[in-house]
Amino acid sequence: MPIQNKTGYYTFFLVFFLALLSISNWIERHETMPLLFAYSSAFISYVFILLRPKNSNLLLASGVIIRFLFFLSLPILSDDLYRFIWDGTLLKNGIHPFAELPGYYLSQGIPEVSKELFNRLNSPNYFTIYPPLNQFIFWLSAVIGNGDWLVSANIIRLILYGADIGSFILLKQLLKHYGKSENLAFWYFLNPLVILEFVGNLHFEGLVIFFLLLGVYAYEKNKKTLSGIGLGLAIGTKLLPLIFLPFFFLKGIKEKKWSAAILGGLIGILTLLPMLNQSFIDGMQESLDLYFRSFEFNASLYFIAREIGHWIYGYNNIALIGPLLSIFSILSILSISVFGLIKKWSVPKTLLFILTTYLLLATTVHPWYILPLVVFGVLSGYWYPIIWSAMIFLTYVGYTKEGFELPMFIVVIEYSITGLVLLTEIRIKNRL
């Protein structure tokens, strides 16, 4: 590579590092223009770096090193950490996190359960939503952190950091299995949203992705027990991967691997047992009910249905629309599972369209929700998840010092561009 080209190439690395460093340590989420400028700079640099001739060692070192930048400070773009610490502190003191709402414990004299921590909770009037596997990690971070929030955050970061490395390794192995270039794994490993939302904002989709890739890799290698363990732990981390079990079961019947899906479901259930009591059942039921009937964020088809509901009923009828969309989502997921088998789609392609359908019908789509699509897209040759990971960051525009209100034009831009790319890719691939 000529010296001039090398200089330009390394300049993109410098911009990539500085942009993510500024987001991880200095820019508040309500500072819209600096935040969008920094993220855009990081994303453009990421694309140009990966479109140039690749030095795999340099790319790997960059992905490994840049994640350490986030160990220097508490998350800036998300306040979910404080609920993690809250739940972990309760467990540390022998208290079931689903027993009472957070406000109850302020007057109980519990060590490290403070008004300062309570004031940082983003949902103090709701029960926690995190299953036992996550709660164990919260407990571990609270025990080691011992009241130091940054130490607790970095314990969780270490786990998510390890998951990212593991996902990268598994992704390379799967790409090799499918006859694709292993270097495509860097489109996941260096994706700015992946870095920001996992080691940055501490969202557990990073761990879910690792377990899902483990399950898929083991399935493809006919290791049914290991595949079931991977799928089950993914479900134990977040219930969402349950939507993939029908496909794995149906495909497993055909290929005599159905035990992987059954074992995955059983392990998912077993992960709930350490905290399973009436408080857990009541609290989780209330949390899920609120999620489907009350919460709405960055939705697509739901927002259209909501406007139709306004026209018919004169008010936001999410209590009806949310559950109806959930039913339609289940039916669509089952249909895609069957269709994928009939069309002999690959496992990643089927999972890609199952999750895409779920997200398009969901009432809440946070930026980190879409990141499993990136690995499935890399594995199946679809690029719209990469585009979506760029566009969905626009939702941070909604944050202000006073609260959050997402302008509808942002949602329209995000879904219009992503949808156009998706439809174009489908059309092109159907012609091949």
Side-chain angles (χ1 to χ4, degrees), residues 11 73 110 173 195 268 286 307 360 382 414:
T11 299
S73 63
I110 301 169
Q173 291 301 311
I195 297 170
E286 182 172 333
E307 292 307 309
L360 291 177
Y382 283 83
E414 173 198 344

Side-chain angles (χ1 to χ4, degrees), residues 287-415:
S287 295
L288 291 174
D289 186 63
L290 282 167
Y291 179 84
F292 287 110
R293 293 181 181 272
S294 301
F295 294 163
E296 53 182 43
F297 175 84
N298 188 38
S300 55
L301 296 178
Y302 161 70
F303 280 166
I304 295 173
R306 186 184 67 179
E307 292 307 309
I308 295 173
H310 269 295
W311 178 65
I312 297 173
Y313 299 103
Y315 60 91
N316 181 3
N317 199 3
I318 186 176
L320 174 63
I321 298 171
L324 284 177
L325 283 176
S326 299
I327 294 171
F328 188 63
S329 180
I330 292 171
L331 295 174
S332 299
I333 287 166
L334 293 174
S335 299
I336 292 172
S337 299
V338 174
F339 189 77
L341 287 172
I342 295 172
K343 291 292 185 178
K344 297 181 180 180
W345 288 353
S346 67
V347 172
K349 181 177 178 179
T350 309
L351 301 187
L352 175 72
F353 283 110
I354 286 174
L355 183 56
T356 298
T357 301
Y358 171 85
L359 292 172
L360 291 177
L361 292 167
T363 60
T364 302
V365 182
H366 289 294
W368 52 96
Y369 286 13
I370 73 160
L371 291 176
L373 294 177
V374 175
V375 292
F376 298 147
V378 167
L379 288 168
S380 57
Y382 283 83
W383 293 95
Y384 73 87
I386 301 290
I387 302 300
W388 202 352
S389 71
M391 302 310 303
I392 201 169
F393 196 81
L394 290 171
T395 58
Y396 279 98
V397 166
Y399 288 101
T400 65
K401 286 185 177 180
E402 291 74 34
F404 182 88
E405 185 175 353
L406 183 63
M408 190 55 63
F409 78 88
I410 294 293
V411 179
V412 172
I413 292 172
E414 173 198 344
Y415 282 99

Side-chain angles (χ1 to χ4, degrees), residues 92-339:
K92 177 184 174 183
N93 287 278
I95 300 170
H96 197 299
F98 284 89
E100 300 286 348
L101 291 171
Y104 170 82
Y105 297 106
L106 285 177
S107 59
Q108 302 303 307
I110 301 169
E112 299 166 27
V113 172
S114 64
K115 183 69 173 177
E116 182 183 5
L117 180 58
F118 177 82
N119 288 338
R120 289 177 178 260
L121 301 181
N122 55 22
S123 300
N125 298 317
Y126 300 137
F127 283 99
T128 186
I129 60 172
Y130 303 105
L133 187 58
N134 301 59
Q135 296 289 346
F136 169 75
I137 296 173
F138 303 161
W139 168 81
L140 184 65
S141 72
V143 169
I144 298 176
N146 199 32
D148 188 317
W149 295 349
L150 182 57
V151 173
S152 292
N154 285 340
I155 294 301
I156 299 173
R157 279 195 174 109
L158 280 173
I159 293 170
L160 295 176
Y161 188 103
D164 258 356
I165 299 295
S167 295
F168 175 71
I169 294 170
L170 287 168
L171 188 53
K172 289 188 69 174
Q173 291 301 311
L174 279 166
L175 285 164
K176 184 178 179 181
H177 174 80
Y178 295 128
K180 299 177 182 290
S181 170
E182 294 180 36
N183 279 336
L184 288 171
F186 289 110
W187 285 99
Y188 168 79
F189 195 57
L190 293 179
N191 186 289
L193 192 65
V194 168
I195 297 170
L196 287 171
E197 296 297 354
F198 296 163
V199 296
N201 293 338
L202 307 180
H203 290 124
F204 277 74
E205 274 72 9
L207 194 56
V208 170
I209 288 171
F210 169 71
F211 288 136
L212 280 175
L213 287 175
L214 176 62
V216 173
Y217 177 74
Y219 185 91
E220 296 287 25
K221 295 299 182 180
N222 203 31
K223 299 177 180 179
K224 292 171 282 191
T225 300
L226 183 58
S227 179
I229 291 172
L231 295 174
L233 291 177
I235 294 167
T237 306
K238 191 166 185 177
L239 297 178
L240 178 62
L242 279 169
I243 66 177
F244 301 132
L245 284 190
F247 166 71
F248 278 106
F249 181 72
L250 293 172
K251 187 175 178 63
I253 291 176
K254 182 180 179 181
E255 300 177 350
K256 298 181 180 180
K257 300 179 187 178
W258 55 268
S259 61
I262 298 297
L263 182 59
L266 289 174
I267 290 176
I269 294 172
L270 287 173
T271 61
L272 302 179
L273 293 181
M275 297 179 66
L276 190 61
N277 61 17
Q278 195 59 45
S279 295
F280 176 84
I281 294 171
D282 293 343
M284 185 60 77
Q285 182 178 355
E286 182 172 333
S287 295
L288 291 174
D289 186 63
L290 282 167
Y291 179 84
F292 287 110
R293 293 181 181 272
S294 301
F295 294 163
E296 53 182 43
F297 175 84
N298 188 38
S300 55
L301 296 178
Y302 161 70
F303 280 166
I304 295 173
R306 186 184 67 179
E307 292 307 309
I308 295 173
H310 269 295
W311 178 65
I312 297 173
Y313 299 103
Y315 60 91
N316 181 3
N317 199 3
I318 186 176
L320 174 63
I321 298 171
L324 284 177
L325 283 176
S326 299
I327 294 171
F328 188 63
S329 180
I330 292 171
L331 295 174
S332 299
I333 287 166
L334 293 174
S335 299
I336 292 172
S337 299
V338 174
F339 189 77

Side-chain angles (χ1 to χ4, degrees), residues 12-61:
F12 283 120
F13 275 98
L14 179 62
V15 172
F16 185 67
F17 269 78
L18 290 176
L20 289 179
L21 178 64
S22 64
I23 296 175
S24 66
N25 290 280
W26 302 310
I27 302 176
E28 299 286 342
R29 66 183 180 184
H30 63 267
E31 297 175 316
T32 300
M33 295 311 297
L35 186 61
L36 290 183
F37 177 76
Y39 186 77
S40 299
S41 299
F43 205 93
I44 291 170
S45 299
Y46 150 78
V47 172
F48 273 91
I49 287 169
L50 292 181
L51 288 179
R52 297 289 186 92
K54 298 172 183 62
N55 181 329
S56 297
N57 291 331
L58 177 60
L59 295 178
L60 178 60

